Amino acid sequence: MGRPGMNTGAQTGSEQAKPKLPTQFVNFVFFKVDPAFRRLSEEEQQKGKEEFAAVINEYQGGGTMVISYSTVGIRSDADFVLWRIAKDVETFQKMSHELLHTGLGKYLEITYSYLSYTKRSVYVDKMDPEHQNPRVYIIPGMKKYLFVYPFIKTRDWYQLSYPARQGMMDEHIQVGSKFPSVKLNTTYSFGIDDHEFVVAFETDEITDFSILVQELRETEASRYTLRDVPMFTCIHHADVIHCLNTL
């Protein structure tokens, strides 16, 4: 799961016999806190944070995952992000309604929100063709850092033949295999958001990810990237209260 572009497009007989995993809907929602919240008393701030955390804890489990990350001091347009994975998009809407009506939520602005879902890639990982496709079902690795960005391929990419695209993806996968410390999660947004993909990289080493991105810029497939910003660096907090205490 640590290799960008790691996929298995072809299915063996044993894979076809396995039960189909449910589609996961994925949402990265970024919040910016109103400075007025910090002027509240410490008691009011703590109460608002606890109300917010209680909503998240209520949704955890039952097919829903919520992982919290802080971006305080890293970006000016967001203070924290929730990586949410659920069985349906209605869960995101219901949860957001409840979060925004908490003591903290009343002081929050959603500055970015990316919607996507999981599915099998059409490309084959020829370096490890028997590996199960990790993009079908995401299990966050809880690494220290998360890097998130949406991206769009050029229309010319889709006009290329499949063998031509597979060849370029082979190079892409080969570069990614040099960085086993970086785990890639790719999700798809065709027709349901402004972009085509949302990618989330997890690692404990920021520099590993940076060097990986630099080397991927030199691959042929990179010529067909139309847009891959904004890019977010996020710091993981296992306890949502700890994340909120960075505000």
Side-chain angles (χ1 to χ4, degrees):
M1 294 182 71
R3 299 213 295 272
M6 191 170 192
N7 304 282
T8 51
Q11 294 184 354
T12 65
S14 60
E15 287 176 328
Q16 292 173 344
K18 293 177 182 178
K20 181 180 179 181
L21 291 171
T23 296
Q24 293 173 303
F25 289 93
V26 179
N27 176 236
F28 294 93
V29 57
F30 294 79
F31 297 93
K32 178 71 176 175
V33 66
D34 189 322
F37 178 76
R38 299 187 179 96
R39 293 193 286 270
L40 298 176
S41 68
E42 290 187 10
E43 292 76 13
E44 288 179 287
Q45 290 184 48
Q46 188 62 27
K47 180 181 178 182
K49 293 175 185 177
E50 290 176 356
E51 290 176 359
F52 193 93
V55 172
I56 291 176
N57 292 334
E58 180 182 349
Y59 276 87
Q60 290 281 25
T64 299
M65 289 181 275
V66 186
I67 306 98
S68 57
Y69 300 84
S70 177
T71 53
V72 169
I74 300 173
R75 286 192 67 100
S76 62
D77 51 0
D79 292 316
F80 70 99
V81 56
L82 299 179
W83 180 3
R84 305 189 292 184
I85 303 172
K87 297 177 180 178
D88 53 62
V89 296
E90 288 81 3
T91 296
F92 301 144
Q93 187 174 73
K94 186 173 184 294
M95 188 192 309
S96 296
H97 170 81
E98 295 179 25
L99 289 172
L100 294 175
H101 283 77
T102 63
L104 170 60
K106 295 174 183 178
Y107 290 88
L108 294 178
E109 176 188 0
I110 296 176
T111 52
Y112 300 93
S113 184
Y114 300 115
L115 178 66
S116 54
Y117 68 99
T118 58
K119 74 181 185 71
R120 184 173 295 279
S121 173
V122 299
Y123 303 110
V124 178
D125 181 356
K126 295 180 179 178
M127 297 182 65
D128 191 3
E130 297 303 319
H131 194 287
Q132 290 184 357
N133 189 331
R135 301 184 185 189
V136 176
Y137 199 82
I138 290 176
I139 302 177
M142 307 302 181
K143 300 293 186 179
K144 185 175 181 179
Y145 302 105
L146 176 74
F147 305 90
V148 181
Y149 63 90
F151 81 95
I152 303 172
K153 304 290 285 186
T154 66
R155 292 298 176 91
D156 288 343
W157 171 260
Y158 300 104
Q159 300 305 310
L160 296 171
S161 68
Y162 173 79
R165 285 181 282 138
Q166 177 67 64
M168 284 185 267
M169 291 306 299
D170 291 345
E171 179 191 22
H172 186 89
I173 294 167
Q174 184 177 28
V175 171
S177 68
K178 295 163 54 179
F179 299 87
S181 64
V182 182
K183 175 187 174 185
L184 168 64
N185 302 283
T186 298
T187 56
Y188 299 80
S189 298
F190 290 91
I192 63 173
D193 213 327
D194 295 341
H195 36 272
E196 298 169 349
F197 308 88
V198 182
V199 291
F201 293 85
E202 300 173 85
T203 186
D204 289 324
E205 299 293 338
I206 287 182
T207 53
D208 285 359
F209 173 71
S210 180
I211 296 170
L212 166 61
V213 172
Q214 183 178 359
E215 292 198 15
L216 288 175
R217 289 288 191 272
E218 299 174 2
T219 63
E220 188 175 1
S222 181
R223 296 171 51 200
Y224 295 92
T225 297
L226 179 64
R227 181 177 174 86
D228 58 359
V229 292
M231 183 174 287
F232 302 89
T233 297
C234 316
I235 301 175
H236 178 235
H237 290 266
D239 190 322
V240 65
I241 280 291
H242 293 164
C243 178
L244 299 178
N245 284 341
T246 66
L247 298 177

